[in-house]
Amino acid sequence: QVAAASGHTVVLVDQSDEILKKSTKGIEESLKRVTKKKFADKPEAGAEFIEKTLKNITTSTDAVAVVHSTDLVIEAIVENQDIKNELFKRLDKFAPEHTIFASNTSSLQITQLANSTTRQDRFGGLHFFNPVPMMKLVEVIKTPMTSQKTFESLVDFSKAVGKSPVSCKDTPGFIVNRLLVPYMMEAVRLFERGDASKEDIDVAMKLGAGYPMGPFELLDYVGLDTSKYIIDGWHSLEPDNPLFAPSPLLNKLVEEKKLGKKTGEGFYKYK
C-alpha cells in the first residue's frame, strides 16, 4: 500500500487468489481511512488518490513468474528460517542480476537468509512496523556482505515511500525489538514473582513512561506465540543471556492457545 501510494508499481504475491482478494480489499479500506484524513475537504482528490494507488497494484500467486521484472523483492512471509530460505533460493534463480532482496523479518538473522542466495551483496533487511501506513519507522539492516550501493538504495526506497529510516547492523531484534522484547519479558517476570499485578504494571508504564500501551497489553496485541517464538530463538543463540530467558507463564499461556487479542484471551480477556 505505501509503495503503491508513493508511485511505485507493486506486485503483491500470496498463496491463493482468495487471500489476495482479501488483501486487496484490506488495502482499499485502509486507503479510505487515509484519504479521510489526508483529503478531508477534497473528496474528489481522495477518490482519485485511491484509484491511482490501486492501479499501481497487481496480484499474483506465482512469485517466480513476476520476479523477472522487479527491482526490489520484499519478503514478509511466516517467521520460519527454512521456509524463507527456500523462497529466496528459488527467487534467486529467476530474478535479474540487479534485483535487491530484502526481508521484513523482526527476529531472524538477515545474514542467514542472504546465505541462501548468490546475491549476498544485494541483500538487506527492511523492517517495517505495524500498522505500516501509520508507522513512520523502517529499520534498514546491513549485513557484513551488503554492499554500500545496496544499503543506500534501501535507505532511498524507505524515504521514497515516506518513511524515516534508521540503520542497524545484523544483530538479534535490530534496534526496536532488541529493546522492546526484553522489556516485555522483564514485565512478565515482575508479575511472575508477584511483585506487582499486570494491571498496575500496565498503568505504571503508560502514566510513568508515557507508553501508549502497557507491556501486557502490548504482548496481547503482538501475539504471545510471536513473542515466545522470538525469545526462544534468541535464547538458543545466547543461552546464558538472562534477558533472553524463557518465561514459564508465557509458555503455559501459549500451550493453552491463549495467544492474546487474536484468540480472545491472553494476559487479558477480550470480547
Side-chain angles (χ1 to χ4, degrees):
Q1 181 187 321
V2 295
S6 52
H8 297 82
T9 306
V10 185
V11 184
L12 176 64
V13 180
D14 216 314
Q15 291 175 314
S16 72
D17 288 325
E18 201 184 332
I19 296 170
L20 288 165
K21 269 187 197 133
K22 204 176 161 189
S23 304
T24 310
K25 198 170 169 18
I27 289 171
E28 206 172 328
E29 293 304 315
S30 176
L31 283 168
K32 280 177 189 167
R33 285 195 295 274
V34 171
T35 51
K36 254 185 194 165
K37 279 185 188 169
K38 206 175 169 184
F39 301 96
D41 45 0
K42 296 181 205 156
E44 279 171 21
E48 200 183 312
F49 170 72
I50 293 174
E51 194 188 335
K52 216 169 163 187
T53 302
L54 290 172
K55 265 192 186 149
N56 286 337
I57 304 172
T58 51
T59 61
S60 173
T61 52
D62 187 350
V64 164
V66 297
V67 79
H68 61 79
S69 58
T70 56
D71 300 314
L72 173 65
V73 171
I74 303 175
E75 165 276 318
I77 65 170
V78 65
E79 281 287 84
N80 179 302
Q81 183 88 48
D82 296 337
I83 297 172
K84 285 185 193 285
N85 281 352
E86 199 183 305
L87 176 70
F88 280 127
K89 202 174 181 174
R90 198 153 45 96
L91 295 183
D92 188 43
K93 292 188 183 108
F94 297 94
E97 204 172 307
H98 75 276
T99 305
I100 294 172
F101 282 10
S103 176
N104 182 53
T105 180
S106 56
S107 63
L108 300 172
Q109 279 194 300
I110 303 292
T111 306
Q112 298 291 342
L113 298 170
N115 284 342
S116 65
T117 73
T118 58
R119 61 184 76 221
Q120 285 99 329
D121 58 327
R122 284 149 289 154
F123 204 116
L126 270 184
H127 184 221
F128 289 81
F129 287 78
N130 241 342
V132 180
M134 313 311 295
M135 300 289 271
K136 292 292 285 182
L137 186 67
V138 176
E139 291 174 325
V140 182
I141 315 306
K142 192 176 195 259
T143 78
M145 297 99 72
T146 309
S147 72
Q148 190 57 27
K149 188 183 171 199
T150 297
F151 173 70
E152 284 166 13
S153 297
L154 291 172
V155 168
D156 289 346
F157 173 75
S158 304
K159 288 177 182 170
V161 297
K163 302 300 175 195
S164 301
V166 293
S167 161
C168 184
K169 285 182 180 172
D170 191 16
T171 178
F174 316 133
I175 298 172
V176 175
N177 282 335
R178 179 61 181 78
L179 296 172
L180 195 60
V181 174
Y183 148 74
M184 293 193 295
M185 294 303 291
E186 206 47 36
V188 176
R189 292 183 196 111
L190 191 67
F191 174 54
E192 276 177 321
R193 290 195 299 270
D195 294 341
S197 73
K198 54 183 187 286
E199 291 82 3
D200 283 354
I201 295 168
D202 276 353
V203 169
M205 292 313 291
K206 284 190 285 191
L207 302 185
Y211 288 9
M213 279 186 207
F216 293 97
E217 291 172 314
L218 188 55
L219 278 159
D220 278 356
Y221 179 76
V222 168
L224 305 194
D225 50 343
T226 306
S227 306
K228 174 178 155 52
Y229 179 84
I230 294 170
I231 211 72
D232 286 352
W234 295 357
H235 180 62
S236 64
L237 281 177
E238 295 181 33
D240 299 329
N241 190 334
L243 290 175
F244 299 162
S247 147
L249 177 58
L250 183 66
N251 290 349
K252 181 176 173 282
L253 288 167
V254 171
E255 216 170 283
E256 292 168 356
K257 300 275 188 288
K258 293 173 182 170
L259 309 179
K261 271 195 137 166
K262 59 186 171 190
T263 58
E265 188 177 350
F267 283 102
Y268 296 113
K269 284 184 177 170
Y270 302 88
K271 279 196 176 82

